Amino acid sequence: MKQKSTQILITLLLSVLIVSAGPVCRKSFPAPSGKWYTKADSNGNYHFFNDAVSTGPVVMKGISMTGFETGTRLSGAGAGYWLFQPQSGTASDSQALVENVMQTLVVDWTANIVRIPFCGSAWLQNYKLTGYGAFSNNPISYRDWIDTAVCKAAELGATVILDNHLWAIGPQSGTSLNVGMEDGCTGINNIGGVNSCAPHDWYGQYTSNRTGKTYNQGDDSGVWQCAIANADGITLENALRGINKEHFLNLWYELAVRYKDSSYVFFELFNEPYQRLSAAFGKTYGDNIPDGSYNWADWATLMNDAINVIRGVGNNNIILVSGLDWNYDYLGNETTSNTGPIGTPSLLKWKAVQNIAYAFHPYQHGSCCGSIGYSSDLSKTDPYQSAYCLFPPTDKAGNGLASFSQTPIFGTLCDSSGYGTTVNKKSPPCQWAPNAKKPGQTTPGLCAGDRDTCDGLSYTACSAASLNWVSPSTGGWSKYVLPMNKYGPLVATEFGTFDCSSPFISSFLSWCGQFGVSYTAWALWPQNSGGPGQGACGYPSIMTPSAGTSDGFGKGSNNCQTLAGCSALLQPLSFAGPLIKADIKAGKSYTIPSGGGATTPNKGATSAPTPATPSPATPSPVTPSPATPSPVTPSPATMSPVTPSPVTPSPATPSPATPSPVAGAISVQLHSASSVYWFAVAVIGGSDTITKLELEDSGAYKASWAQFTSTTWGYWVFNAATALTMPVSLRVTSSSGKTAMLTNVITSLTNNNLINSGVSFSGSTSPSPSPVTPSPVTPSPVTPSPVTP
């Protein structure tokens, strides 16, 4: 009895000690309303919910920041990157800069979520920032520095993802190529002549409140050791080397306690875990291991232990689990018995735990295989770029050829040197690309996407597959990631291209729209530098290189000393950036489909329908709108502890697949990814349910009245065997047998606004089609392993 009483006393004492401190904010403000939780819809697919935000599922759309997580070792550049105001001796000036950046993302870009990558070891040691030495006499703690961004987002009503992006890592155990596994720093990366290997893993002295132990005694809290040592991140082997797992769990304990009552803070446990054979130290990387050899058991145990630590302190915040293969793969090799959780659900030891989501990072690996363009987007129709560099042109020896075409960065030509080829499983699912070619192919048109599944499919078979992206049989994202939405919402916490091209982004945004997938685009990177060969286009940045006054380090941070200056600085980088910004602005709601896969367009009064369709690789360009900051009214909630999410929220009711009838004249809207081969139209109005849609053009389909196919996601689709010729007329038939003739209603593929035809089922109400007030255009919808700053 005495022993039992002692255990109860210890438990009570621990429950008293675990008190949420909350973020340290520079001023008080009302916290965002409500609390975030996950719930399965009527089809068994999970989404995010917040009853104070919406009665239905909410799609999180935003940006991944850079700057807090890394920097040159042994310098004041750590934890700030371009976010410092180095000419100031006051840390508060740099904090104001961070706040202006966050406000620009949330207000100008209308992001409802922002990802904040951070260094795990710097958090534990609570590194003292000096800002290039500018405020070395009055440093700010690393945790308070991160909270500058967290608090500003919360003040504006947005959510953040705290992403454990990396930690300080010491040299790998071996020094020989492919002898053993890569378990530490490879010695390959040098920044400013400084080796990126820390003296040891998880550098920095700290005392853990979880274990009561003091670690790394003698390490200096004022020395920055967190660098992108391997360019590719940190391996699963390093996370498990020595006592590293103990550090990892200590980190998540501290974060869980600090943000226990802050539902608007999501946790991303481990950025891009991967496995690879050892490097020739300082010379070259080792080989990737086959996906049938992934250590799924250790992966699952590490994730499960971290989840248990977080939930063990009473923290019910959303937790993001990351897949293997640089946070992409949840399947592995399906032909082996060693598969990931898609094939072996028993790996998900946490299936009964609430509020778990799944992160993934789709990148286009190939780069500069075709024309990009400077003032106009050539990539969307280029024979090789429009197939996502899956079939790059090669020389006689089979080596890939760079296009050396112009890019949106003045004076920069596109060079693929230093990049690998596009990986099949990280490609889109099947879709017909009418402009695409393989090397040596004379007639354009091929089935683009995961080559293991799509290559060689006929036009008819590929078109059928493109209308069935919900099936893993279509390959790519739908095979290696999508099935995980049966266990939690999906969040692409990074994605992008390495050459400024748009087709991959356009297709990915369309896929996200179809399945209600959330994202934080990579990355906020308004610098002039990038990857090999093409400057800023050589890195998946969605921001233009800084064009304002330099801060002395070429990073333009001075411009963000004012909100107006920051708004002017953080503009989208063509040609992918405007697509992303337009998609973020288009809306965050998701309509649960009745058919189990796709969604119907959002018919809200303030935004255009959200495209929810597999798009061909020929999207229409989207022109970015000028960024005009507008005031954000804080929600009325207070910064008091919130109650954990409900256990069994009521199920959502699926909406009908057909849009509700709207009285009056018939309006139509052309899908922004439509081409002369793949033609998708939404039809709204007419005071009756529409049962058939037909078209004729002035060319091959003149007077033919070819019939569209209806879909569950609100658009009617026509797959043309021969290119359509504008203008196009439509014939609409209602359920009561009435017809309406919309003569020459669609005159251009570039007009994606809602068009009032002036015709109803009872006859004409106006002499000719007239445009409705334009709605925001919603775009349709990236390398060796993603290079992270």
Side-chain angles (χ1 to χ4, degrees), residues 64 107 113 115 128 192 227 259 267 281 357 377 400 413 427 470 493 557 580 623 696 702:
S64 184
V107 178
I113 192 165
R115 181 175 183 246
K128 305 301 180 185
Y259 300 106
F267 296 147
F281 193 81
D377 185 2
L413 300 182
S427 301
V470 70
T493 52
S557 60
I580 294 168
T623 303
E696 69 168 8
K702 186 175 182 179

Side-chain angles (χ1 to χ4, degrees), residues 547-570:
T549 304
S550 171
D551 60 7
F553 292 83
K555 306 180 194 308
S557 60
N558 279 350
N559 301 278
C560 282
Q561 283 298 293
T562 65
L563 188 56
C566 207
S567 178
L569 177 72
L570 302 183

Side-chain angles (χ1 to χ4, degrees), residues 55-126:
T55 57
V58 179
V59 179
M60 313 298 285
K61 296 181 181 180
I63 307 296
S64 184
M65 294 185 69
T66 61
F68 293 113
E69 75 277 19
T70 189
T72 305
R73 285 182 53 245
L74 309 176
S75 78
Y81 243 13
W82 68 279
L83 293 169
F84 289 134
Q85 212 299 25
Q87 278 71 43
S88 171
T90 306
S92 60
D93 287 346
S94 286
Q95 289 181 280
L97 184 154
V98 169
E99 291 172 342
N100 287 338
V101 168
M102 182 62 74
Q103 182 157 341
T104 300
L105 296 179
V106 175
V107 178
D108 287 12
W109 286 67
T110 70
N112 62 353
I113 192 165
V114 177
R115 181 175 183 246
I116 303 174
F118 69 94
C119 171
S121 54
W123 180 280
L124 279 181
Q125 76 180 95
N126 205 12

Side-chain angles (χ1 to χ4, degrees), residues 523-561:
L524 177 68
W525 185 252
Q527 297 191 183
N528 292 303
S529 59
Q534 54 259 29
C537 281
Y539 187 82
S541 169
I542 60 171
M543 305 290 177
T544 54
S546 55
T549 304
S550 171
D551 60 7
F553 292 83
K555 306 180 194 308
S557 60
N558 279 350
N559 301 278
C560 282
Q561 283 298 293

Side-chain angles (χ1 to χ4, degrees), residues 41 45-48 57-61 360 482 485 488-492 509-519 588-593 597-599 610-612:
D41 63 21
N45 302 320
Y46 274 81
H47 305 282
F48 293 114
V58 179
V59 179
M60 313 298 285
K61 296 181 181 180
F360 67 110
L482 185 60
N485 70 354
L490 302 180
V491 187
L509 294 177
S510 179
W511 185 84
C512 289
Q514 182 173 348
F515 300 110
V517 174
S518 299
Y519 62 77
K588 319 296 191 299
S589 63
Y590 178 76
T591 303
I592 300 169
T599 177
T610 302

